[in-house]
Amino acid sequence: TIFNMSAPEAKRPKLADKANVLMVGTGEYTTGYVGGTAADSDKGAGVVALTMFDLRRRGKVDRVGMCGVNGKKFPGIRNHMQKNIGDVYNNMDLTCDTFPSDETVDPKAYLDAVSTFQAGDVAIIFTPDDTHYEIAMACIEKGLHVMVTKPIVQTLEHHTNLIKAAKEKNVLVSMEVHKRWDPFYADARDRARSQFGNFQYMYAYMSQPKHQLETFKAWAGKSSDISFYLNSHHIDFSEWTLEGIARPIRVTGTSSTGVAHSKGMKTEDSITLTVQWENLNDKSLGCAVYTSSWVAPKGDVHSQQRFFYMGTNGEINVDQAHRGMTVA
């Protein structure tokens, strides 16, 4: 997680031996179900629901709930999960309370879902970026511990409000940035902080193939963009790595366009952020360039993910998509 926004641990509501979990969001990352079928990506079986069912199999999770907007999708989601999880893995209990009902479309269904859970339970939110804040606040007010996919929110005001609410309710609120758990990224951070000296330069690139524009067409360019969606990973890596070493002082952005526009989608194809960093010990400057794209050609991997990091005393090149790195 990128941060824990809470009161001291001794004051938090304690989790039961088995956690009750509400999953908010029924799309690709939660279920792997997109457009009436398995997602054409590396997440065809989903991630969040699959993980919760596995944790229940291992005795860590008890009740599981799932909440979306369009309840009419749930019969298809259940069939999809049975085919891709229940029929594939042993002893997977796919029992799941769903909201809203199978006949209902309700953008506020999460309020009904949250009302059936108790303080100390857990909410996992994987929904379009502009919905994170209201859903997370409703969960916090109920006393649920909350994990939100990146970006946790899109404005500083919403960010500070979440921090305040989490402290008032004594709950944990965190952002899911899974690159922190990648061994190469963790190793790169350790080397940068212990061996590489002051920050000098970083270039990061992350992409997904252009057919993902269809997966995200409900919100792409309307409520969020590719930089929020993908650049957030490497920006978090920089914040995590450079905490106490350097701080960002200026940000500029440029874009590429054409492919999405040709599909009638008013959004950028690629976004590049150039960030000026200032080293705290001597005010020297470093520069980082973060590029993300969702119009890449379909290639040998679903998502290209790589970066080059250079400090005053060393450098590292990480290709996470192909699980490789070089160090100097």
Side-chain angles (χ1 to χ4, degrees), residues 85-103:
I85 300 176
D87 294 345
V88 175
Y89 302 99
N90 291 328
N91 305 317
M92 284 289 212
D93 176 6
L94 305 187
T95 303
C96 183
D97 299 324
T98 54
F99 306 85
S101 68
D102 290 5
E103 301 80 29

Side-chain angles (χ1 to χ4, degrees), residues 22 24 67-68 99 106-115 134-135 138:
L22 171 63
V24 186
C67 178
F99 306 85
D106 182 6
K108 297 290 186 178
Y110 64 88
L111 296 174
D112 291 333
V114 169
S115 71
E134 289 188 359
I135 298 172

Side-chain angles (χ1 to χ4, degrees), residues 73-183:
K73 294 181 180 179
F74 281 126
I77 290 172
R78 294 185 194 102
N79 290 334
H80 165 80
M81 291 194 302
Q82 182 60 45
K83 178 180 178 181
N84 290 276
I85 300 176
D87 294 345
V88 175
Y89 302 99
N90 291 328
N91 305 317
M92 284 289 212
D93 176 6
L94 305 187
T95 303
C96 183
D97 299 324
T98 54
F99 306 85
S101 68
D102 290 5
E103 301 80 29
T104 305
V105 177
D106 182 6
K108 297 290 186 178
Y110 64 88
L111 296 174
D112 291 333
V114 169
S115 71
T116 70
F117 283 79
Q118 305 298 319
D121 291 340
V122 176
I124 301 175
I125 301 169
F126 276 77
T127 60
D129 297 346
D130 64 324
T131 67
H132 292 174
Y133 176 69
E134 289 188 359
I135 298 172
M137 287 294 283
C139 295
I140 292 169
E141 287 300 315
K142 183 67 175 179
L144 274 62
H145 302 289
V146 180
M147 181 174 72
V148 188
T149 188
K150 46 74 193 166
I152 190 165
V153 286
Q154 295 174 298
T155 70
L156 180 59
E157 178 185 6
H158 285 171
H159 198 115
T160 54
N161 288 348
L162 281 184
I163 294 173
K164 181 180 178 181
K167 288 180 177 178
E168 288 177 350
K169 291 295 183 177
N170 296 329
V171 297
L172 292 171
V173 177
S174 60
M175 182 171 74
E176 194 277 337
V177 273
H178 49 267
K179 293 295 173 286
R180 292 194 179 201
W181 303 104
D182 184 278

Side-chain angles (χ1 to χ4, degrees), residues 118-319:
Q118 305 298 319
D121 291 340
V122 176
I124 301 175
I125 301 169
F126 276 77
T127 60
D129 297 346
D130 64 324
T131 67
H132 292 174
Y133 176 69
E134 289 188 359
I135 298 172
M137 287 294 283
C139 295
I140 292 169
E141 287 300 315
K142 183 67 175 179
L144 274 62
H145 302 289
V146 180
M147 181 174 72
V148 188
T149 188
K150 46 74 193 166
I152 190 165
V153 286
Q154 295 174 298
T155 70
L156 180 59
E157 178 185 6
H158 285 171
H159 198 115
T160 54
N161 288 348
L162 281 184
I163 294 173
K164 181 180 178 181
K167 288 180 177 178
E168 288 177 350
K169 291 295 183 177
N170 296 329
V171 297
L172 292 171
V173 177
S174 60
M175 182 171 74
E176 194 277 337
V177 273
H178 49 267
K179 293 295 173 286
R180 292 194 179 201
W181 303 104
D182 184 278
F184 290 111
Y185 277 57
D187 183 70
R189 176 188 186 258
D190 290 344
R191 291 173 187 271
R193 292 182 65 82
S194 64
Q195 303 172 20
F196 291 175
N198 277 356
F199 175 61
Q200 281 275 303
Y201 175 74
M202 178 174 175
Y203 164 72
Y205 176 73
M206 188 173 290
S207 71
Q208 291 195 350
K210 59 175 62 72
H211 71 261
Q212 287 293 92
L213 285 170
E214 294 299 319
T215 300
F216 305 131
K217 63 183 178 182
W219 56 263
K222 300 172 184 175
S223 60
S224 194
D225 57 42
I226 188 57
S227 189
F228 273 122
Y229 185 64
L230 288 185
N231 272 336
S232 51
H233 280 298
H234 284 121
I235 290 171
D236 174 71
F237 174 78
S238 291
E239 291 282 0
W240 184 42
T241 299
L242 296 174
E243 181 180 3
I245 297 174
R247 68 185 186 100
I249 58 174
R250 186 171 65 250
V251 180
T252 58
T254 54
S255 67
S256 303
T257 61
V259 176
H261 288 179
S262 71
K263 297 177 178 289
M265 304 171 67
K266 295 181 180 180
T267 190
E268 301 87 357
D269 294 342
S270 305
I271 294 178
T272 295
L273 303 180
T274 302
V275 181
Q276 186 83 77
W277 290 77
E278 179 184 72
N279 289 295
L280 301 179
N281 61 351
D282 62 4
K283 305 301 181 183
S284 61
L285 299 178
C287 178
V289 181
Y290 309 92
T291 297
S292 58
S293 176
W294 47 16
V295 299
K298 197 166 186 177
D300 59 327
V301 294
H302 177 70
S303 178
Q304 298 289 347
Q305 304 171 23
R306 55 183 178 266
F307 71 85
F308 170 80
Y309 178 101
M310 182 175 68
T312 52
N313 300 325
E315 66 183 40
I316 188 167
N317 194 51
V318 173
D319 183 351

